[in-house]
Amino acid sequence: MKPTARTFPTGRLARTAAATVALCVLGGTGAAYAYWASTGVGAGSAANGTMQTVIVDALVAGDAPQNSLVPGGTADVILRATNPNAHAVTIYGVAANGAVTADAAHAACTTTGVTFTPPPVPISPPLTIQPNSSVLLTLQGAASMSAASLSACQGAQFRVPVTLEVRK
């Protein structure tokens, strides 16, 4: 068999197809040019607010620990977080922020043997503090006491300095 030559349509159909392609290309180019070349005039403003610090207290009146810390054991750490902002914030993480110390009535408790283990970040489930309110946060088993604690630490309450990371 002999190969046949391919013929292209001529006449009205070919001219219509060529015109349609040209219009599509020119129309698309015109729209793209209009998009990139357009200008405008206007004014706007924005203000950046400052988030107030969330306050952290431990064992305020009415908050009672559910367990006691003993050498070789663990206990819960209880925090009361107060949000003074006009918007809700979510507690994202808790971190240690200094040495654990005993209360003033137990000044001879110089070696507490107490350590703080913060919960994994982010805190799960998330804990949201509504505007101008407070929540009680119990970190289960976050405090531990080694056998190195002095006998003078018996009956002491311990100050566990922490930092909260909160997000809007």
Side-chain angles (χ1 to χ4, degrees), residues 93-97 116 118-119 161-165:
V94 180
N97 188 20
F116 172 69
V162 298
T163 299
L164 291 182
E165 179 182 348

Side-chain angles (χ1 to χ4, degrees), residues 1-161:
M1 253 177 106
K2 188 175 185 186
T4 59
R6 187 164 234 212
T7 59
F8 293 98
T10 59
R12 186 174 181 183
L13 181 60
R15 284 189 302 271
T16 303
T20 302
V21 168
L23 285 174
C24 288
V25 168
L26 290 176
T29 303
Y33 176 77
Y35 176 78
W36 290 107
S38 64
T39 59
V41 176
S45 65
N48 187 12
T50 302
M51 188 164 90
Q52 297 180 43
T53 302
V54 172
I55 302 160
V56 182
D57 293 309
L59 292 175
V60 297
D63 299 341
Q66 298 299 311
N67 49 23
S68 297
L69 191 57
V70 295
T74 63
D76 300 342
V77 173
I78 301 173
L79 307 171
R80 179 165 296 278
T82 303
N83 177 14
N85 294 289
H87 54 80
V89 296
T90 300
I91 299 175
Y92 185 77
V94 180
N97 188 20
V100 176
T101 57
D103 60 56
H106 294 83
C109 178
T110 55
T111 302
T112 66
V114 177
T115 56
F116 172 69
T117 304
V121 174
I123 290 181
S124 181
L127 182 61
T128 300
I129 310 171
Q130 295 304 317
N132 301 308
S133 65
S134 64
V135 297
L136 194 62
L137 176 62
T138 301
L139 305 174
Q140 295 181 347
S144 60
M145 180 182 261
S146 73
S149 293
L150 298 176
S151 293
C153 297
Q154 290 182 10
Q157 287 188 354
F158 298 98
R159 181 179 175 274
V160 180

